[in-house]
Amino acid sequence: MSMKVDKEAFYRRAKQLYAAWKEASGDWGKVDSIICAVGVDEDIVYSKSTALQSWLLGYELTDTITVFAEDSITFLASKKKIEFLRPLETNLDSSGTVPALKLLNRDKDDKDKKNFSKLLENIKGSKKGKTLGVFAKDKFPGPFMDLWRAALKEESFENVDLSSQFGYLMSPKEDSELSIIKKAAGLSSDIFSKYLKEQIMDIIDGDKKKSHSKLCKDIEDQIQNKDNKLLSGMDKNAIDMCYPPIIQSGGNYKLKFSVVSDKENIHFGAIVCSLGVRYKSYCSNIVRTMLVDPSQNVQDIYTYMISLEDLIISKLQDGVKLSDVYNAAMDNVKKEKPDIADKINKNFGFAMGIEFREAGLVIGPNCDVKAKKGMIFNINVGVTGISNKEAKDSKGKNIALFVGDTVEVKSGESGVILTPTKKKVKNIAIFLKDDDSEEEKENKDSNVDLDPTVFGRGKRSAVLDQKLRTDSTTEAKRKQHQRDLLEKMNAAALKRLQDGDNSKEKQKVRKAPVSYKTPGLLPKEGEVKELKIYVDKKYETIIMPIFGVPVPFHIATIKNISSSKEGDHTYLRINFFHPGANLFRDEPRYTNPEATFLKEVTYRSSNIKEPGELTAPSANLDTAFRLIKDIQKKYKAREAEEKEKADLVEQDTLIVSSGKSNPKLKDLYIRPNIVQKRLSGILEAHTNGFRYTSIRGDKVDIMYNNIKHALFQPCDGEMIILLHFHLKNPIMFGKKKQQDVQFYTEVGEITTDLGKHQHMHDRDDLAAEQAERELRHKLKQLFKGFCEKVESATKGALEFDSPFRELGFQGVPHRETVLLQPTSSCLVNLTSWPPFTCTLEDVELVHFERVQLSLKNFDMVFIFKDYNKKVAMVTSVPMTMLDHVKEWLNSCDIKYTEGIQSLNWTKIMKTIVDDPEGFFESGGWSFLDPESEGEGEDDDTDDEDDNFEMSEEEGSDYSDSEDDYSEDSNLSDEENYSEELDSDESSGKDWSDLEAEAAEDDKNRSEEDEGSSRRHKSSKHDRRDKHSSSSSSKSKHKSSHKSPEKKHKSSHDRDRDSKRKRERSGSSHHKSPKKSKR
């Protein structure tokens, strides 16, 4: 046989068995020998007999009898199985706890009578020989088992069931067993998150119909599919399901693992999913509930269930009674959520291992067994009978919630979840946006009742009508949402500014530098006494002779110094700081500004060397100039560094975890660089933060509580894969403050050798491409695994976010055009350096500048809630992305405005900060919003348009009384061109109908206005000149908005415009009147 038995594992575990038997506690002390008999039955998945075989031998051996006697262990099996067991004859137990091993070959000729008699002799010779330890529920069929049971019956032995004792004995897992279970649990998580969850979301998104049983069958097919990438790195022949997957929805819920999924279609409400993977005979399990449009009450209950599961896991520790864990959980339920106390499941899980469920190790009220380190539990919390009053149908009125994980018991600390798939509401809830479709349906229903004669010959183009109505509804809804946001934003901003005025932080006043605290510290050097310029390096002071007195000046008081030679003399000029010439304008440096200040001083010395002198007198000035420059340079560098560190927030000390299982990533580069040269290193997660160690030994520590955004950007469409941390408070490394720290590695050649001969079918190139694809996949898995481990270790305190590449758009935040990608909490570009990170929570509003049809690009300005913070700007965003960006901002509840000019934001923000009350009393940010003014005019115009569409007679009367018709209203009509065109064209009128109506209208007007024949042109001529007339109309509109009070139309022009308006149902001019006004 190709299988090999693990001798060391067998004797190590057999020693535990005999040690427990010799202790003789409980039922162990009642038995004289123990029997394990395994027959052949493919229907039996779990049994204590096969579990014992797997635990001792690593495999299941059918038609095999094992007798554990006091002085021997005897196996009766076929010849091949005996050969497999032959290596165990050499006893590896030096302590003598495990007795000798005996192997008996089956003899089918006499139906194993001799072998049975030998086994019975061993049983009778063990202790008293009367009582057998058996597994009462294990009754395998088959002739071999029947003969063995008959032989035992003849001897009339007493039987004692040891199922619970063996379950407790085998529950604590060794490291080798734990590694197998972790693989099984990891695969369970992957099957749910990477397949089942995606399938359910696809069904919901596509509004598809699929039965529970069909989806469960698909999951099993994924496990059986040997080419499945999820199974990579595992023995595919050793993978199986613990039980058939269970999918439940639509009000029919049974929170048990023995139920079978029905054939009903998935209901879009609460979808309970349970599945467990079995790997090399060891079980795992995961339970999740997917929620579709959950009510707030359902969300609250689900969130509480997650916290309750965390409580149970924290209580489940080595040495704790399982009943105590249950009671602690129920006490919390009665205190926090008493209304679900009678609806919660009867127990909170059970121990798992080779068998899926250990019946004697249940987290229930009556189980006083203590948990042991290394035990594996299936922790699950379920609530049934939750009434959902907001459900849209009867099936969603009654729902159940079920959450479960595979957990490892630890000593002195809470348990560890081995199935780390995210389970918060935001990760499992799906919110469907069907408001638009409902509104569209209402509009459609209301239009059915209208008289079709109003639309001429009746509506023919329903599809076009529906499309235009939907578009206008969506745009109107977005504008309304923006108006609501503007009101809320102005109110919140004013309140924030008023509250902020009362809590201004006091600025730190820097002390003026002092040269010498006491006169005794003044140097006693000869230069001082000789009234020469002396530079004291120790105290950074220059002692200068003034009026025959040596006077010390600290280097901080010197603004600049210059030296020049003119003729026979050298001049040294020193300028000092004084009121009105401050270097540090933000720092008050003068405690008494009314004192007398020295502005400058000039010294002159001769360049002529007198006879007998070694140097010219001016040498002292040259030396002083050089020394003062050196000290000034050092002082300024130190001051800059201190100023850099002044506002640094002190970070916690990193608690280094010494465990070898810390999440770790190797061969990463850091940005910005620690030193000038790029160095690789290792990023490791510890108890309260990350530590990056370069190959040179440099260390950078990042605390979890200082991370504002943790971002993981995969290598899809990029040449690097990276982890980026945007910090709450900057940290110092490389002698600079850094608020963004990034760790990355390259996934391909960033540069390509163009001189190299290349061919599309070159094997080397194809192999390189394949190698790069594999590297990308491997790196993505490594980084993703690292993120998941860190999230699990921090218990969700730190969560990694990933950019949505499909929502990205091009822009220039710094110096080059980059792809800006939104995440759930910010807008980022991480590939280029320096990075761009804009937190959406901090943004007050976004203003679009240079929005004109004639331009290809526009600019985005991010105004922050902290008005003292400089605005962020992204320039050169393609105009084609304007609607895309608007839709994204609207979905994030961020107010946006637009204009055609670039504004001076420094002056605007200063004006707001200086007088916030006045700014918001005058309308606040509405000055940026072209749609915040004149809303009443638009509404009136819309009503007029509706009247015009309803009746042709009213339209002609309206055009005759158009003397007071304003330019703004005319533009509003043109802006609503699409709606009017919809009413005419969709009613079925073609060009011939329109021409006939126009001709008839012209005829009527000629009778009313005699003597004005030049006002009546043919409809054909009007139609031919449509383009040119609309262009001239556009120019008129522009000029009229610049000076509307000075521009008046003649009655001839008004009548002609009114006629064209009826013929065309609007103008081709689409420019917003609000933009023109600005």
Side-chain angles (χ1 to χ4, degrees):
M1 298 176 71
S2 60
M3 300 185 298
K4 287 185 179 181
V5 66
D6 187 343
K7 291 193 294 183
E8 293 181 358
F10 173 82
Y11 278 100
R12 186 170 61 249
R13 293 167 186 175
K15 185 176 180 179
Q16 294 179 34
L17 191 161
Y18 273 90
W21 189 9
K22 286 180 180 179
E23 284 181 10
S25 61
D27 289 341
W28 285 109
K30 298 178 182 178
V31 300
D32 299 319
S33 57
I34 301 167
I35 295 176
C36 173
V38 179
V40 180
D41 188 355
E42 294 181 356
D43 294 334
I44 298 177
V45 180
Y46 301 110
S47 70
K48 198 64 68 180
S49 302
T50 54
L52 179 58
Q53 281 189 349
S54 298
W55 185 61
L56 289 173
L57 307 172
Y59 298 95
E60 294 180 10
L61 304 180
T62 56
D63 281 345
T64 301
I65 298 172
T66 310
V67 176
F68 298 91
E70 187 179 21
D71 56 355
S72 66
I73 300 175
T74 308
F75 285 94
L76 173 60
S78 62
K79 185 177 180 181
K80 285 186 177 181
K81 296 184 181 75
I82 292 299
E83 290 302 317
F84 167 73
L85 298 169
R86 189 74 64 188
L88 298 178
E89 287 184 320
T90 305
N91 196 329
L92 298 181
D93 181 31
S94 57
S95 65
T97 306
V98 181
L101 198 77
K102 296 180 181 178
L103 303 176
L104 299 176
N105 277 312
R106 283 187 60 188
D107 185 2
K108 295 181 181 180
D109 294 337
D110 68 343
K111 296 184 180 180
D112 291 304
K113 289 182 180 180
K114 291 182 180 179
N115 289 327
F116 287 161
S117 62
K118 290 179 182 179
L119 292 177
L120 293 173
E121 287 176 9
N122 290 338
I123 292 170
K124 292 175 182 177
S126 177
K127 294 188 178 182
K128 297 178 183 179
K130 294 181 179 179
T131 308
L132 302 179
V134 298
F135 305 125
K137 292 183 179 180
D138 294 358
K139 294 180 180 179
F140 287 89
F144 181 56
M145 289 294 106
D146 292 340
L147 291 171
W148 171 242
R149 280 190 288 269
L152 288 175
K153 193 174 183 180
E154 291 177 1
E155 301 295 333
S156 302
F157 292 116
E158 293 182 12
N159 294 337
V160 175
D161 187 14
L162 293 181
S163 298
S164 298
Q165 283 70 22
F166 270 92
Y168 192 64
L169 174 69
M170 295 186 290
S171 287
K173 303 296 184 287
E174 299 174 353
D175 290 343
S176 58
E177 295 175 288
L178 287 174
S179 66
I180 295 172
I181 293 173
K182 286 176 181 178
K183 288 183 178 180
L187 184 55
S188 295
S189 297
D190 288 345
I191 290 291
F192 173 78
S193 61
K194 297 178 181 178
Y195 179 76
L196 179 56
K197 184 178 177 181
E198 297 294 330
Q199 289 290 308
I200 292 174
M201 291 181 71
D202 183 56
I203 291 168
I204 295 170
D205 288 342
D207 199 15
K208 301 176 183 176
K209 292 184 178 180
K210 197 168 190 176
S211 66
H212 300 138
S213 56
K214 179 66 173 67
L215 188 55
C216 293
K217 179 67 168 57
D218 292 344
I219 297 171
E220 294 187 62
D221 291 342
Q222 288 294 312
I223 291 295
Q224 301 299 328
N225 182 11
K226 306 300 181 186
D227 297 328
N228 191 342
K229 291 183 179 179
L230 297 177
L231 311 181
S232 59
M234 303 177 75
D235 183 0
K236 296 178 177 60
N237 296 318
I239 301 173
D240 199 0
M241 299 299 293
C242 298
Y243 57 89
I246 303 169
I247 311 290
Q248 303 177 77
S249 68
N252 184 20
Y253 301 99
K254 292 181 181 178
L255 305 187
K256 296 180 180 180
F257 298 104
S258 56
V259 300
V260 179
S261 300
D262 56 33
K263 295 182 180 180
E264 293 292 323
N265 289 331
I266 291 176
H267 177 261
F268 298 168
I271 307 168
V272 176
C273 311
S274 308
L275 64 94
V277 172
R278 194 181 191 199
Y279 182 56
K280 293 183 177 178
S281 299
Y282 287 89
C283 298
S284 66
N285 193 56
I286 185 172
V287 183
R288 293 289 184 268
T289 302
M290 300 284 288
L291 299 173
V292 182
D293 282 338
S295 65
Q296 190 58 47
N297 179 49
V298 172
Q299 293 183 51
D300 293 341
I301 295 174
Y302 181 86
T303 303
Y304 173 72
M305 287 173 59
I306 299 299
S307 64
L308 182 63
E309 186 193 16
D310 291 338
L311 174 68
I312 294 168
I313 294 171
S314 65
K315 297 289 184 183
L316 189 63
Q317 299 181 17
D318 183 27
V320 179
K321 289 183 180 179
L322 299 182
S323 57
D324 292 345
V325 176
Y326 175 84
N327 292 330
M330 286 307 299
D331 290 343
N332 185 269
V333 172
K334 291 171 183 176
K335 180 182 177 182
E336 301 291 339
K337 284 277 184 184
D339 51 322
I340 66 169
D342 56 340
K343 300 175 182 178
I344 207 158
N345 47 359
K346 294 180 180 179
N347 62 68
F348 294 122
F350 43 80
M352 283 194 308
I354 298 172
E355 287 189 277
F356 179 69
R357 187 178 190 273
E358 289 291 352
L361 294 171
V362 177
I363 303 177
N366 302 320
C367 184
D368 294 330
V369 179
K370 292 182 179 180
K372 282 188 176 182
K373 180 184 178 183
M375 283 186 173
I376 300 296
F377 276 83
N378 174 21
I379 303 295
N380 47 72
V381 179
V383 179
T384 54
I386 301 172
S387 59
N388 183 21
K389 297 179 181 178
E390 298 180 18
K392 297 176 183 177
D393 53 22
S394 58
K395 288 186 175 181
K397 296 290 184 184
N398 184 29
I399 66 169
L401 301 176
F402 202 20
V403 179
D405 287 289
T406 304
V407 177
E408 176 191 352
V409 178
K410 292 283 189 179
S411 177
E413 57 180 304
S414 59
V416 177
I417 296 176
L418 304 182
T419 47
T421 303
K422 296 178 182 178
K423 52 181 179 283
K424 290 184 179 179
V425 171
K426 65 179 182 180
N427 304 121
I428 55 88
I430 302 167
F431 295 91
L432 302 176
K433 294 184 178 180
D434 55 354
D435 295 334
D436 291 349
S437 60
E438 288 178 5
E439 191 171 344
E440 175 189 328
K441 187 177 179 181
E442 290 173 7
N443 291 341
K444 192 173 180 181
D445 293 341
S446 62
N447 289 336
V448 171
D449 300 331
L450 291 176
D451 185 2
T453 57
V454 173
F455 301 95
R457 294 187 301 172
K459 298 176 74 175
R460 294 189 301 185
S461 181
V463 176
L464 178 63
D465 184 18
Q466 187 179 11
K467 182 177 186 299
L468 288 173
R469 285 176 185 274
T470 306
D471 290 346
S472 62
T473 301
T474 305
E475 180 64 23
K477 191 175 179 183
R478 191 166 73 185
K479 288 180 179 178
Q480 181 60 42
H481 185 216
Q482 287 294 309
R483 282 194 288 271
D484 296 342
L485 287 175
L486 178 63
E487 293 176 8
K488 292 178 183 176
M489 181 186 68
N490 280 335
L494 179 59
K495 185 176 184 301
R496 191 172 61 248
L497 285 174
Q498 289 173 341
D499 295 344
D501 291 341
N502 300 327
S503 59
K504 282 187 177 178
E505 294 184 1
K506 293 183 179 179
Q507 291 184 339
K508 293 182 179 178
V509 179
R510 296 191 61 188
K511 293 181 180 179
V514 177
S515 295
Y516 305 108
K517 292 181 179 179
T518 60
L521 295 174
L522 199 69
K524 305 292 190 292
E525 304 293 336
E527 288 92 335
V528 178
K529 294 178 182 179
E530 295 171 6
L531 297 179
K532 293 182 179 180
I533 297 176
Y534 177 74
V535 179
D536 188 351
K537 293 183 179 179
K538 181 179 179 182
Y539 291 98
E540 296 178 327
T541 300
I542 296 89
I543 300 174
M544 305 178 196
I546 297 178
F547 300 118
V549 179
V551 182
F553 290 90
H554 195 273
I555 192 69
T557 62
I558 296 176
K559 185 176 182 181
N560 54 49
I561 182 171
S562 63
S563 176
S564 61
K565 293 185 179 181
E566 297 179 10
D568 294 338
H569 293 86
T570 296
Y571 293 86
L572 181 67
R573 181 180 179 184
I574 302 173
N575 293 322
F576 296 91
F577 288 112
H578 57 83
N582 247 355
L583 175 65
F584 306 103
R585 293 177 184 174
D586 56 337
E587 299 179 12
R589 293 176 53 84
Y590 305 104
T591 55
N592 184 14
E594 295 181 359
T596 302
F597 290 87
L598 184 65
K599 183 176 181 181
E600 68 174 74
V601 61
T602 304
Y603 292 93
R604 187 184 74 172
S605 183
S606 175
N607 293 335
I608 300 171
K609 186 169 64 172
E610 297 293 335
E613 292 184 354
L614 296 175
T615 58
S618 62
N620 182 42
L621 294 185
D622 294 335
T623 305
F625 176 75
R626 180 174 49 80
L627 292 175
I628 292 171
K629 279 288 186 185
D630 290 343
I631 293 175
Q632 198 174 37
K633 185 179 179 182
K634 291 178 183 177
Y635 177 78
K636 285 181 178 179
R638 192 175 73 251
E639 283 286 293
E641 190 173 340
E642 287 178 2
K643 192 176 180 183
E644 192 88 349
K645 292 180 180 178
D647 56 347
L648 278 179
V649 177
E650 187 177 351
Q651 300 294 315
D652 298 338
T653 305
L654 182 71
I655 301 173
V656 178
S657 174
S658 57
K660 294 182 179 179
S661 60
N662 293 339
K664 189 184 296 183
L665 283 175
K666 298 181 180 179
D667 299 326
L668 296 184
Y669 298 107
I670 186 172
R671 287 202 292 197
N673 294 333
I674 301 174
V675 292
Q676 192 170 6
K677 185 180 178 183
R678 189 177 71 162
L679 298 173
S680 65
I682 298 173
L683 180 66
E684 188 171 3
H686 292 281
T687 306
N688 64 335
F690 296 101
R691 169 165 284 179
Y692 176 79
T693 309
S694 71
I695 55 175
R696 204 181 69 166
D698 305 290
K699 289 182 173 62
V700 177
D701 294 341
I702 303 173
M703 300 299 113
Y704 295 145
N705 58 11
N706 191 36
I707 296 175
K708 190 172 187 179
H709 300 299
L711 303 166
F712 162 53
Q713 180 173 292
C715 48
D716 301 328
E718 302 286 354
M719 296 305 291
I720 60 173
I721 184 170
L722 59 87
L723 297 176
H724 185 95
F725 300 110
H726 182 66
L727 308 180
K728 297 175 184 175
N729 301 303
I731 60 173
M732 283 287 291
F733 70 89
K735 296 184 179 180
K736 287 186 179 179
K737 285 191 298 186
Q738 309 293 351
Q739 189 133 19
D740 290 274
V741 186
Q742 189 178 106
F743 305 97
Y744 71 98
T745 188
E746 297 170 357
V747 294
E749 294 181 6
I750 294 181
T751 58
T752 305
D753 183 6
L754 297 177
K756 179 184 173 185
H757 175 71
Q758 295 181 338
H759 192 272
M760 64 179 294
H761 297 299
D762 190 346
R763 291 186 178 181
D764 292 339
D765 287 353
L766 293 174
E769 289 177 10
Q770 179 63 26
E772 184 177 323
R773 280 193 292 270
E774 291 174 358
L775 176 63
R776 283 175 179 270
H777 179 71
K778 181 181 177 183
L779 286 173
K780 200 187 296 184
Q781 294 300 320
L782 282 173
F783 274 70
K784 200 168 184 181
F786 176 82
C787 296
E788 289 175 352
K789 288 176 183 176
V790 171
E791 288 175 350
S792 176
T794 58
K795 296 181 180 178
L798 180 69
E799 289 192 359
F800 283 87
D801 206 352
S802 291
F804 301 110
R805 191 176 179 85
E806 61 274 11
L807 297 179
F809 55 91
Q810 299 290 331
V812 183
H814 297 297
R815 293 183 297 274
E816 59 179 337
T817 302
V818 296
L819 179 65
L820 297 161
Q821 303 176 71
T823 72
S824 59
S825 57
C826 49
L827 177 68
V828 299
N829 169 257
L830 307 176
T831 309
S832 300
W833 199 263
F836 177 79
T837 310
C838 180
T839 306
L840 299 181
E841 282 184 359
D842 298 342
V843 174
E844 181 88 305
L845 81 152
V846 177
H847 181 66
F848 303 127
E849 295 184 338
R850 302 190 304 113
V851 179
Q852 299 184 57
L853 294 175
S854 59
L855 298 178
K856 292 183 179 179
N857 300 311
F858 66 93
D859 301 333
M860 291 176 68
V861 181
F862 294 87
I863 298 108
F864 298 101
K865 293 177 181 176
D866 180 4
Y867 290 164
N868 293 309
K869 188 176 179 181
K870 187 180 178 182
V871 299
M873 184 172 286
V874 176
T875 60
S876 302
V877 182
M879 192 65 74
T880 53
M881 301 301 292
L882 181 60
D883 285 338
H884 170 79
V885 175
K886 282 182 179 180
E887 188 62 39
W888 166 63
L889 289 172
N890 194 58
S891 67
C892 297
D893 290 338
I894 294 177
K895 171 66 183 169
Y896 62 80
T897 57
E898 62 181 70
I900 59 175
Q901 295 177 341
S902 296
L903 303 176
N904 188 337
W905 287 102
T906 306
K907 289 185 178 180
I908 291 173
M909 300 311 295
K910 188 176 185 304
T911 304
I912 297 170
V913 173
D914 290 345
D915 184 19
E917 288 85 359
F919 172 72
F920 286 106
E921 281 175 8
S922 62
W925 292 108
S926 56
F927 81 95
L928 291 174
D929 191 359
E931 296 174 6
S932 63
E933 301 172 3
E935 290 176 11
E937 293 179 9
D938 292 345
D939 295 339
D940 294 341
T941 307
D942 291 340
D943 294 339
E944 291 165 0
D945 292 343
D946 293 340
N947 293 335
F948 173 75
E949 290 170 9
M950 295 296 292
S951 172
E952 285 289 278
E953 294 178 3
E954 290 178 19
S956 60
D957 293 339
Y958 179 76
S959 64
D960 290 337
S961 60
E962 202 182 5
D963 294 329
D964 297 325
Y965 191 81
S966 67
E967 295 282 333
D968 289 342
S969 300
N970 191 21
L971 276 175
S972 300
D973 287 341
E974 291 177 348
E975 192 177 20
N976 294 323
Y977 166 63
S978 59
E979 292 185 9
E980 295 172 0
L981 183 64
D982 172 41
S983 301
D984 282 334
E985 291 192 359
S986 61
S987 65
K989 296 180 183 180
D990 52 21
W991 278 113
S992 60
D993 296 329
L994 291 171
E995 286 182 358
E997 287 182 12
E1000 186 179 352
D1001 186 57
D1002 288 344
K1003 184 178 179 182
N1004 293 335
R1005 292 182 63 81
S1006 64
E1007 294 173 359
E1008 294 173 4
D1009 303 321
E1010 293 181 2
S1012 302
S1013 59
R1014 56 191 177 88
R1015 290 167 50 192
H1016 300 283
K1017 297 182 181 180
S1018 68
S1019 294
K1020 292 183 179 179
H1021 183 67
D1022 275 349
R1023 212 113 30 234
R1024 213 178 300 123
D1025 294 336
K1026 179 179 179 182
H1027 179 73
S1028 61
S1029 63
S1030 66
S1031 301
S1032 63
S1033 175
K1034 185 185 294 186
S1035 63
K1036 283 180 183 180
H1037 294 157
K1038 288 183 179 177
S1039 62
S1040 66
H1041 271 273
K1042 289 179 182 176
S1043 54
E1045 70 281 354
K1046 296 179 183 179
K1047 204 79 171 175
H1048 298 282
K1049 290 186 176 183
S1050 66
S1051 61
H1052 158 67
D1053 291 334
R1054 285 196 301 272
D1055 291 340
R1056 184 175 59 188
D1057 288 347
S1058 176
K1059 185 176 76 172
R1060 285 181 177 170
K1061 180 182 172 188
R1062 288 197 309 276
E1063 289 171 357
R1064 297 195 301 269
S1065 299
S1067 169
S1068 61
H1069 175 54
H1070 291 275
K1071 188 172 179 65
S1072 169
K1074 306 304 180 297
K1075 295 176 188 173
S1076 301
K1077 190 177 288 185
R1078 284 193 299 124

